[in-house]
Amino acid sequence: MIMYDNMKFYGRGTQPDEKGRIPLFWSGSGFEFDTDADEAYMTVVSDFNTHEMWFAIWLDGVCISRRMASKGRERVCLFRGKMESRSTRVRVTKETQ
């Protein structure tokens, strides 16, 4: 399911393309949204020869994960198992080494 109604995009060229994908070419680019869901996932597609792509996941202003994207396509859990019914602010930013 793709939803963009309450998303903010950061960086140059980070608007969704015609297929709904969000290209994150530059360090610091990313997206942010509020949700009251119990869990959220994203699909990451990464292709590199020299420098790996790194990204950080932030929940309510706290960095909970910083990791390297595997080469190819992978499904990444942003969070899951949230028991509270309050809204959570999720932010994903691309980082480089």
Side-chain angles (χ1 to χ4, degrees):
M1 178 172 133
I2 299 174
M3 56 117 194
Y4 297 119
D5 52 333
N6 72 345
M7 292 187 90
K8 293 180 183 176
F9 301 98
Y10 299 96
R12 295 182 295 184
T14 55
Q15 295 300 316
D17 67 11
E18 65 280 350
K19 294 183 179 181
R21 300 172 299 194
I22 305 167
L24 302 178
F25 294 118
W26 306 100
S27 184
S29 61
F31 59 92
E32 182 175 304
F33 62 95
D34 289 315
T35 183
D36 60 356
D38 296 335
E39 57 187 35
Y41 295 83
M42 70 177 179
T43 300
V44 176
V45 179
S46 178
D47 187 21
F48 54 85
N49 291 321
T50 306
H51 301 288
E52 301 94 358
M53 185 185 104
W54 285 73
F55 61 93
I57 301 168
W58 301 74
L59 295 182
D60 293 329
V62 177
C63 184
I64 61 155
S65 178
R66 183 178 182 274
R67 58 176 288 215
M68 183 181 82
S70 299
K71 195 169 187 176
R73 180 184 206 97
E74 68 178 313
R75 187 172 186 224
V76 175
C77 179
L78 300 175
F79 69 90
R80 68 176 178 199
K82 189 178 75 145
M83 303 296 277
E84 304 141 4
S85 60
R86 68 176 180 83
S87 183
T88 299
R89 165 119 349 229
V90 179
R91 182 172 182 156
V92 176
T93 56
K94 179 180 179 182
E95 299 182 349
T96 55
Q97 298 182 40

